[in-house]
Amino acid sequence: MATTAAAALLAGCATINTEEGDPLADLQEAQAYNPDIPAGTGYFAERSDLPFHAPDFTRISEDDYLPAYEQAMMIHKAEIEAIKNNPAAPNFENTIVALEKAGGMLGRINTVFFALTGSNTTDRLDEINTEISPKLTEHYDAITLDPALFARVKAVYDNRAAMTMTVEDAKLLETTYEGMVHAGALLSDAEREQVKAINSQLSTLTTEFSQDARAAMSDQPVIFDSREELAGLSDSDIKSAADLATEKGFDGKYAIALQNTTQQPLLPSMENRDAREKLFMASYHRADGTTDVDTRMLIAKIAKLRADKAALFGEADWASYAMWDRMAEKPKTALDFMEQMVPALAATQRREAAMLTAAIAADGGDYEVKPWDWYRYANRIKAEQFDLDEDAVMEYFVLDKVLEDGVFYMAEKLYGLTFQKRTDLPVYHPDVTTYTVFDRDGSELGIFYFDPFQRPSKRGGAWMSNFVEQSHLYGTKPVIYNVLNIPKAPAGEVQLVSFDWVNTTFHEFGHALHGFFADQRYESLSGTATARDFVEYPSQVHEMWATWPSVLSNYAKHYETGETIPDEMIEKIEAAAKFNQGYDFGEVVEAALLDMKWSALSPAEAAAIDTPEKVDAFERRSLEELGLEIDLVPPRYRSTYFNHIFSSPAGYSAGYYSYLWTEMLDRDSRKWFIENGGLTRENGDHYRATVLSRGGTMDYFQMFQNFAGRAPDVTPMLEARGLVAGDEAADSEVSDGALPSQAVN
């Protein structure tokens, strides 16, 4: 480590502040300093010897994790002690870069272990997670809250004006210092101990929440006694339901596994209203004590601990504390941004509900629309108004073609990338496929893992992450995986996917591109290491190419005839996209605002929510205050299974609004692409240069300005959602184009 640091100084990667003393003397002292760092053993001790250092799952067993974790934490502690005890004066290389380098073995374990607990967990992995999570929290807290270590970091930070650094060096110094301050470095000794205790408890509670929420989804399918109850479902869906029931010990019956959102994808096809209600209510009441899984007291404890932690930092609530590094910066900015949409959205919900109730009456029904009816009749109206048959649409989307002839084709035309499927890399599940990604000059860019199918061992949703981060410091290239939850077709049948899953596939690969195009020296600033309310932006903007004509014509082929999807069908899909926004948009806005309500509690307010019933009452009261039609349009996630905000110590808490915030950036960016010629290499290279390659190295408003040549504008988003028409913009209270004032600074 000392030799590397000295060489970097000689090469001019960082300049020692001349006020620190004699640079040559400091360099000689650094060269003489040779701390004793224990060597690691076992698989994780060194980077994998597979291509790109991809993980070798054939060499990793569940019994490896706990011993490896204990050893890696010991080594990491020794590395930190070496930084603290360095006799040389603190400088960028021996303190900030040394911190960046420390903990390599621990990081390698984390990337594999937490990938598996999310996508292919086992009872044993869950047990290890429960045991190791609080230990990891304690370990990292001991580092970020170490006064002696912070003193060295602060010495470098305070001297930054006299130092010569690259832009990225300066950003690393800033984020290292501010991150330690945010963790509690400036608190008193007693307050730091309180923070450590809270963090440990949060780690335990959020891990338990995550496991309980997954169990309430994957371990508790909804059981139906007869095939007649499932009338309207396809033969394939019914067979899958019968197979799952047998697997769960209900021979002769039918089981439908819950998916992660409140609404369930099979509801629109189900003809039996009682069966629809049964499926919906099982989803809605997930983990709220209706069954043997109840996360409500976990929620109460998490909310109280978060509020208490924020108070230690002098903040009014968790949202104020958590949003310190966000693009929006302040809760009020995010709330103002969302609340300006509520009047138009509420009116849309009421108008659409009346339309659906009228459709029910026309169908001979004597009842008003309920959530379990909504999509059945919304889809029917959509089919009538736009002549759009969702099942017929699916016949043009074969999963392999969506990925290879759609997503990959888009990446080739926009960025010059090419892909080669591999069979030589070990994978963590047979459903996973791997590809080498080649850059525009033909050089190897990285490795891509694709894990598309739903299974009980996988948490709900879709996501992207890295097995290996890009870093010029280490000479590493990205190894990235996308995880989806597409219901798997029965063996021997063609794997068709809904257009929603097509969009999600493009979306998650947008995240992957953000990682593949990383061009940073430091891992902690690389690729998707950006603010929570920026990271979803590059992924969302790539959804636009799913319906771009030249891309569609390349991948959207009928699974039987090979016919390209008709232009008129795409026109109908796009025209129908603005329909049903009362629900589609409303459920997301409600979830985002519900998140902010939980995050806005003071310690006293949080302490008063001390029973399961009070958790229910708070959620109900919070949603009613929104002014939206919550009984008709429940939030996308109720609190009891809101993994985004309760399944990790921070996660998307006080941050679920990010999906809306970044949609604003996305829609304005789509406008730019269209105005500048669409799917061209010139446009792709420009977006790569100004956004996708920048990681977390610069101000996000400046990054957007560099791309679009203007500040972001909310109007294209509202127009895309059908909440305001283009010619109404001048008269609309929500479409003057300006963001809330705090966000434009």
Side-chain angles (χ1 to χ4, degrees):
M1 179 183 295
T3 303
T4 304
L9 288 172
L10 288 170
C13 294
T15 301
I16 301 176
N17 174 17
T18 55
E19 295 181 3
E20 292 177 355
D22 181 359
L24 182 58
D26 284 342
L27 181 57
Q28 290 170 339
E29 193 169 17
Q31 288 174 322
Y33 182 53
N34 187 25
D36 184 20
I37 306 296
T41 59
Y43 172 77
F44 292 104
E46 302 292 340
R47 293 187 185 274
S48 165
D49 57 7
L50 291 181
F52 299 85
H53 308 298
D56 188 347
F57 294 102
T58 66
R59 295 178 56 196
I60 305 169
S61 76
E62 293 179 351
D63 293 334
D64 292 335
Y65 289 111
L66 284 177
Y69 265 124
E70 296 297 335
Q71 186 183 99
M73 286 189 283
M74 176 191 68
I75 293 171
H76 196 193
K77 288 176 183 177
E79 291 168 337
I80 298 302
E81 288 301 310
I83 297 170
K84 289 163 52 180
N85 296 329
N86 192 331
N91 61 46
F92 182 79
E93 193 71 29
N94 69 22
T95 301
I96 307 304
V97 175
L99 269 173
E100 176 75 6
K101 291 178 178 179
M105 179 177 176
L106 188 54
R108 287 191 290 275
I109 303 168
N110 283 337
T111 56
V112 174
F113 179 74
F114 288 108
L116 294 185
T117 57
S119 59
N120 194 35
T121 197
T122 64
D123 290 344
R124 179 57 184 146
L125 289 179
D126 284 345
E127 291 170 359
I128 296 170
N129 196 2
T130 300
E131 180 177 347
I132 203 63
S133 289
K135 291 182 179 180
L136 286 172
T137 299
E138 181 181 356
H139 171 78
Y140 287 118
D141 280 349
I143 295 170
T144 56
L145 296 174
D146 187 312
L149 181 64
F150 179 66
R152 288 189 68 95
V153 172
K154 187 173 186 299
V156 182
Y157 182 78
D158 288 346
N159 215 20
R160 64 194 182 280
M163 299 168 63
T164 301
M165 295 181 288
T166 67
V167 171
E168 189 176 344
D169 288 345
K171 187 65 174 179
L172 180 67
L173 174 58
E174 175 188 311
T175 57
T176 301
Y177 174 80
E178 292 181 353
M180 294 184 79
V181 170
H182 184 70
L186 293 179
L187 299 179
S188 68
D189 291 346
E191 289 169 334
R192 284 198 298 272
E193 291 305 312
Q194 287 180 270
V195 168
K196 289 178 183 179
I198 289 173
N199 289 348
S200 179
Q201 293 175 72
L202 282 173
S203 178
T204 298
L205 293 169
T206 55
T207 299
E208 185 177 349
F209 180 95
S210 176
Q211 293 176 357
D212 284 355
R214 191 187 67 246
M217 179 178 69
S218 62
D219 296 348
Q220 298 184 341
V222 186
I223 306 301
F224 295 90
D225 294 326
S226 68
R227 185 186 179 102
E228 287 70 29
E229 291 178 277
L230 303 185
L233 298 187
S234 67
D235 291 342
S236 174
D237 286 332
I238 291 175
K239 182 180 185 304
S240 295
D243 291 345
L244 181 59
T246 300
E247 178 186 326
K248 296 294 184 180
F250 295 92
D251 288 341
K253 297 190 177 184
Y254 302 85
I256 295 177
L258 294 176
Q259 296 203 32
N260 63 319
T261 56
T262 301
Q263 274 290 344
Q264 297 296 297
L266 293 182
L267 283 171
S269 300
M270 297 173 68
E271 297 172 0
N272 186 310
R273 189 171 191 243
D274 290 339
R276 289 201 304 273
E277 181 178 4
K278 180 178 179 178
L279 177 58
F280 178 87
M281 296 304 283
S283 175
Y284 182 84
H285 287 292
R286 203 182 325 167
D288 70 355
T290 305
T291 65
D292 59 353
V293 180
D294 191 342
T295 60
R296 289 176 294 176
M297 285 311 297
L298 291 173
I299 291 168
K301 293 173 183 176
I302 291 168
K304 174 66 166 60
L305 287 168
R306 286 174 173 172
D308 289 345
K309 181 175 178 178
L312 286 171
F313 289 84
E315 297 288 0
D317 50 50
W318 175 254
S320 300
Y321 170 77
M323 291 181 64
W324 69 288
D325 63 346
R326 305 277 174 80
M327 186 176 179
E329 293 186 354
K330 301 294 184 183
K332 187 178 186 303
T333 305
L335 285 168
D336 288 350
F337 167 68
M338 291 187 287
E339 288 175 354
Q340 65 178 322
M341 307 172 193
V342 167
L345 180 56
T348 299
Q349 289 180 331
R350 290 189 289 271
R351 183 178 67 252
E352 290 181 350
M355 186 188 310
L356 297 176
T357 296
I360 290 169
D363 199 34
D366 186 21
Y367 54 86
E368 294 187 351
V369 67
K370 297 293 184 184
W372 49 91
D373 306 312
W374 190 290
Y375 275 96
R376 179 168 178 80
Y377 288 93
N379 286 358
R380 183 174 297 182
I381 292 174
K382 184 187 294 187
E384 292 170 353
Q385 287 192 359
F386 304 100
D387 191 24
L388 186 64
D389 183 339
E390 302 282 359
D391 290 336
V393 169
M394 280 184 65
E395 294 179 355
Y396 289 90
F397 297 124
V398 178
L399 179 59
D400 288 346
K401 289 186 175 297
V402 170
L403 178 67
E404 297 184 353
D405 297 339
V407 173
F408 290 175
Y409 178 81
M410 170 271 294
E412 177 188 359
K413 295 303 179 185
L414 199 58
Y415 305 110
L417 304 189
T418 53
F419 303 81
Q420 183 177 335
K421 195 169 187 177
R422 306 184 67 127
T423 57
D424 59 324
L425 292 178
V427 292
Y428 58 84
H429 190 278
D431 287 339
V432 179
T433 52
T434 61
Y435 299 82
T436 301
V437 185
F438 296 92
D439 206 348
R440 55 196 172 192
D441 62 359
S443 63
E444 292 180 323
L445 185 61
I447 296 290
F448 177 61
Y449 289 66
F450 186 58
D451 179 5
F453 299 125
Q454 183 184 33
R455 52 180 173 266
S457 61
K458 183 188 288 187
R459 65 178 170 88
W463 62 95
M464 163 270 180
S465 193
N466 285 56
F467 285 125
V468 179
E469 298 278 357
Q470 176 275 335
S471 167
H472 295 310
L473 181 65
Y474 297 118
T476 53
K477 295 185 177 183
V479 178
I480 291 173
Y481 58 92
N482 277 176
V483 181
L484 311 179
N485 263 281
I486 297 170
K488 192 174 185 179
E493 293 192 13
V494 175
Q495 181 64 58
L496 302 176
V497 294
S498 68
F499 186 69
D500 282 345
W501 278 117
V502 171
N503 255 335
T504 301
T505 307
F506 276 81
H507 174 105
E508 294 305 330
F509 198 75
H511 281 306
L513 289 169
H514 200 180
F516 281 127
F517 291 150
D519 190 20
Q520 279 68 59
R521 177 170 174 77
Y522 306 113
E523 282 187 355
S524 58
L525 299 175
S526 180
T528 58
T530 66
R532 182 65 73 194
D533 57 2
F534 189 84
V535 73
E536 293 296 333
Y537 156 51
S539 56
Q540 286 178 321
V541 80
H542 282 88
E543 294 178 28
M544 74 175 290
W545 308 116
T547 54
W548 197 257
S550 61
V551 178
L552 262 173
S553 63
N554 199 63
Y555 80 91
K557 310 283 188 179
H558 194 277
Y559 79 103
E560 287 181 328
T561 67
E563 173 196 6
T564 300
I565 192 168
D567 290 342
E568 56 268 26
M569 184 175 281
I570 296 305
E571 291 169 3
K572 292 171 185 176
I573 291 174
E574 293 180 331
K578 293 182 181 180
F579 179 75
N580 201 38
Q581 290 304 302
Y583 208 115
D584 288 348
F585 193 49
E587 65 169 0
V588 178
V589 172
E590 288 171 10
L593 288 167
L594 178 61
D595 165 35
M596 294 300 285
K597 292 285 188 177
W598 279 113
S599 299
L601 292 168
S602 69
E605 291 168 335
I609 304 173
D610 57 1
T611 67
E613 292 73 23
K614 289 180 180 178
V615 170
D616 289 338
F618 176 77
E619 178 186 85
R620 180 73 188 178
R621 184 169 64 254
S622 297
L623 290 170
E624 287 176 340
E625 290 172 353
L626 303 181
L628 297 172
E629 298 297 322
I630 60 170
D631 288 326
L632 289 172
V633 182
R636 185 170 176 83
Y637 306 98
R638 287 192 64 211
S639 304
T640 54
Y641 47 94
F642 206 160
N643 265 305
H644 289 76
I645 67 172
F646 290 123
S647 67
S648 67
Y652 270 80
S653 60
Y656 196 74
Y657 77 90
S658 300
Y659 289 97
L660 303 172
W661 182 269
T662 54
E663 184 181 346
M664 175 263 297
L665 302 177
D666 153 37
R667 290 292 178 175
D668 200 15
S669 296
R670 295 188 194 202
K671 180 179 179 182
W672 182 93
F673 273 108
I674 292 169
E675 289 173 344
N676 287 275
L679 187 80
T680 68
R681 276 294 307 281
E682 182 180 2
N683 286 345
D685 288 346
H686 175 65
Y687 192 60
R688 175 176 178 171
T690 55
V691 176
L692 294 178
S693 65
R694 295 298 178 178
T697 62
M698 64 186 299
D699 176 81
Y700 301 111
F701 278 99
Q702 186 61 55
M703 202 183 299
F704 187 89
Q705 182 91 24
N706 292 346
F707 161 64
R710 60 174 183 261
D713 181 353
V714 72
T715 308
M717 170 187 173
L718 298 173
E719 292 175 354
R721 287 288 188 174
L723 297 178
V724 58
D727 57 0
E728 297 171 356
D731 300 323
S732 173
E733 65 175 307
V734 297
S735 59
D736 61 2
L739 292 177
S741 59
Q742 291 149 298
V744 189
N745 295 336

